[in-house]
Amino acid sequence: MSMKFPGMAGALSVLALLWSTHLSAAGLESRPAQVAPAFLAKDLAGQSHTLADYRGKVVLLNFWASWCPPCRREMPSMERLRLKMAGRPLVILALDSVEPVEDVQAFLTTMKLGFPILLDPDGENTRRWKVYALPTTFLLDKAGRIRHVLKGGAEWDEGEALEAIEGLLQEVAAGGS
Amino acid sequence: MKKKRVKQIGVLCAAWLAAWVHAAVPDYQVDSAQGPRLLLWVSSERGRTEPEAVAAKKLARQGVTVWSLDVPGAFFLPQLPSSMDQASPGEVAEWLVAALDTGKQLTVYAVGRAAVPVLRAAALLDAGQRGRMCVLLMYPNLYQSAEALADADYLDTGRLDGLAIRVLQPRRSAATPWLPAQLAHLSALGARVTPVMLENVREGYWARETPTAFEIEQAGQMDKLLMQELESCR
């Protein structure tokens, strides 16, 4: 086996890493409208949530975990989005994937968030939605269909992400199905 | 604009520093010892890290011979999962055979995507050779594709009949809910698979940018974890 040029390999690896980082920030993947998998989760107060509860509204459904740095990084932008969209038909749901509730509660003492934090302690929703990376976020239209998917973090209150949300909100304003 | 430029220069400097640090850790390393065990350590696609090199030396002091390989560095490839897939299974198989020929009790430890070249190489061996070794897979990434809302596809590794595998899975990982599926996949290939859950740590916990106090402690005890696994792996 060739074992030469370790320094150059390292430098190239860094360039590749920078390139891959650039790509990972490339943005939302728009998809043809797709029926959402079943979703049922409880929040920290024990109240159940399903997507049917939010029919007629745009839903941002975020799969996250408190140990995941990019998940933590994007949370403040989701809170800013909530405040910016107050009074408009947008719902933000953050589903914590397979963590003890104590870890979630500990995280929430460090960050004030006004949207529902839901729990998926046994990973049932995570598996049903086939989420393999965290964070992963889905944007659903007023009919509860999946329209956009993002693997990785984002600044949700600006740029491409905000445009996609505004697009779905306009569909709500336009009426029809 | 000026701030942005300064930030870009900072990022590039950090990148070159990281490359220099990486270059300081050899692509291939042998830590010799007199004991009956031989550990082949294949680092992840991110390359070999200093804590891993330290753990290898600690194991050698406890009598375990360690041959360490950093595939992207050795094959002059970028530090990406796809680079691991390009490693020649034949060459890795030759390495495994050379290790078996030492007569020592052989364990292979592969991190992340390194599971792919190791399993492909193991599949090239005959059943007798596979039966004389044991494989530890630390958070193995065997996916060809894993896109949200779709079933994951696994890379083809070939049959692994009779191969003893222990999957070491950090609890704090997006892969944790998928562990049963991964175990089923490996079992279907003929391997004898045992899961080992590593509590309160994340993938690559020994080299995280912002490690928890517990991860730092565990990183310093990687040799103990591996020694325990060497003893359990049959």
Side-chain angles (χ1 to χ4, degrees):
Chain A
M1 279 183 228
S2 167
M3 306 291 173
K4 295 174 182 172
F5 313 121
M8 194 178 276
L12 279 176
S13 301
V14 166
L15 288 174
L17 184 66
L18 288 174
W19 174 242
S20 67
T21 303
H22 169 73
L23 285 180
S24 72
L28 282 170
E29 180 193 345
S30 296
R31 296 198 177 186
Q34 180 179 349
V35 176
F39 182 89
L40 174 62
K42 288 185 176 173
D43 61 25
L44 290 163
Q47 186 186 338
S48 294
H49 296 249
T50 70
L51 290 178
D53 300 337
Y54 303 108
R55 203 54 50 84
K57 294 180 178 176
V58 174
V59 176
L60 184 157
L61 175 58
N62 172 252
F63 286 72
W64 69 289
S66 70
W67 47 258
C68 152
C71 303
R72 298 168 72 113
R73 268 198 298 276
E74 71 175 353
M75 282 285 184
S77 75
M78 287 163 56
E79 177 63 6
R80 289 195 301 272
L81 176 70
R82 183 186 73 84
L83 295 170
K84 184 185 274 193
M85 295 290 174
R88 300 182 69 188
L90 172 72
V91 174
I92 299 172
L93 301 173
L95 181 84
D96 179 89
S97 179
V98 198
E99 266 196 296
V101 66
E102 296 79 16
D103 291 6
V104 181
Q105 285 166 331
F107 167 72
L108 292 174
T109 63
T110 68
M111 199 177 289
K112 189 172 164 51
L113 301 171
F115 46 83
I117 302 294
L118 311 181
L119 304 171
D120 192 25
D122 51 11
E124 268 188 32
N125 287 293
T126 305
R127 279 188 291 271
R128 209 178 293 129
W129 284 64
K130 297 187 168 62
V131 169
Y132 303 99
L134 297 177
T136 293
T137 305
F138 303 90
L139 290 179
L140 286 77
D141 63 19
K142 62 185 178 182
R145 299 172 304 185
I146 297 166
R147 300 282 294 275
H148 303 274
V149 181
L150 178 65
K151 187 162 70 174
E155 290 296 311
W156 287 100
D157 60 333
E158 61 185 55
E160 191 185 7
L162 184 58
E163 281 173 26
I165 292 164
E166 285 288 4
L168 295 177
L169 286 170
Q170 280 168 19
E171 292 178 14
V172 178
S177 59
Chain B
M1 193 67 185
K2 194 177 174 186
K3 263 187 178 174
K4 194 175 176 186
R5 181 82 183 141
V6 169
K7 195 177 172 187
Q8 284 173 336
I9 291 169
V11 168
L12 279 175
C13 288
W16 281 109
L17 180 63
W20 182 82
V21 169
H22 171 72
V25 182
D27 300 330
Y28 190 75
Q29 179 78 38
V30 174
D31 294 291
S32 300
Q34 296 302 316
R37 289 198 172 98
L38 170 58
L39 176 66
L40 303 193
W41 187 320
V42 189
S43 304
S44 82
E45 59 275 20
R46 291 178 180 269
R48 192 160 183 248
T49 64
E50 192 59 33
E52 290 176 297
V54 169
K57 292 204 180 308
K58 283 186 184 174
L59 284 168
R61 285 201 290 274
Q62 295 166 66
V64 180
T65 296
V66 185
W67 297 357
S68 304
L69 174 64
D70 167 4
V71 172
F75 286 90
F76 190 48
L77 295 165
Q79 292 182 328
L80 296 171
S82 56
S83 296
M84 305 302 277
D85 308 347
Q86 292 173 44
S88 159
E91 285 189 52
V92 179
E94 285 174 20
W95 192 52
L96 298 183
V97 170
L100 285 168
D101 288 347
T102 63
K104 288 180 184 262
Q105 193 178 324
L106 176 61
T107 303
V108 186
Y109 173 56
V111 184
R113 192 68 163 193
V116 171
V118 165
L119 294 182
R120 283 177 169 168
L124 294 179
L125 304 181
D126 62 46
Q129 290 170 316
R130 272 198 300 273
R132 288 169 50 210
M133 58 189 273
C134 181
V135 175
L136 303 172
L137 301 180
M138 176 66 91
Y139 59 88
N141 173 3
L142 301 172
Y143 292 135
Q144 177 154 354
S145 70
E147 295 300 324
L149 303 170
D151 287 328
D153 279 337
Y154 290 96
L155 282 162
D156 181 21
T157 53
R159 295 290 308 174
L160 301 170
D161 296 293
L163 184 66
I165 296 177
R166 287 173 73 82
V167 176
L168 311 183
Q169 180 59 51
R171 172 78 70 186
R172 294 178 172 181
S173 159
T176 296
W178 298 104
L179 180 61
Q182 191 160 57
L183 299 176
H185 170 74
L186 290 168
S187 295
L189 293 174
R192 293 183 287 115
V193 195
T194 308
V196 180
M197 191 58 73
L198 306 177
E199 300 294 344
N200 297 316
V201 293
R202 294 170 291 175
E203 293 182 358
Y205 61 88
W206 53 87
R208 303 287 304 197
E209 275 180 35
T210 52
T212 63
F214 185 74
E215 286 173 334
I216 293 169
E217 184 191 322
Q218 292 301 300
Q221 296 179 6
M222 208 189 308
D223 60 312
K224 285 185 185 160
L225 169 70
L226 287 171
M227 185 58 96
Q228 185 183 309
E229 288 303 316
L230 286 173
E231 287 167 1
S232 305
C233 204
R234 299 192 196 292

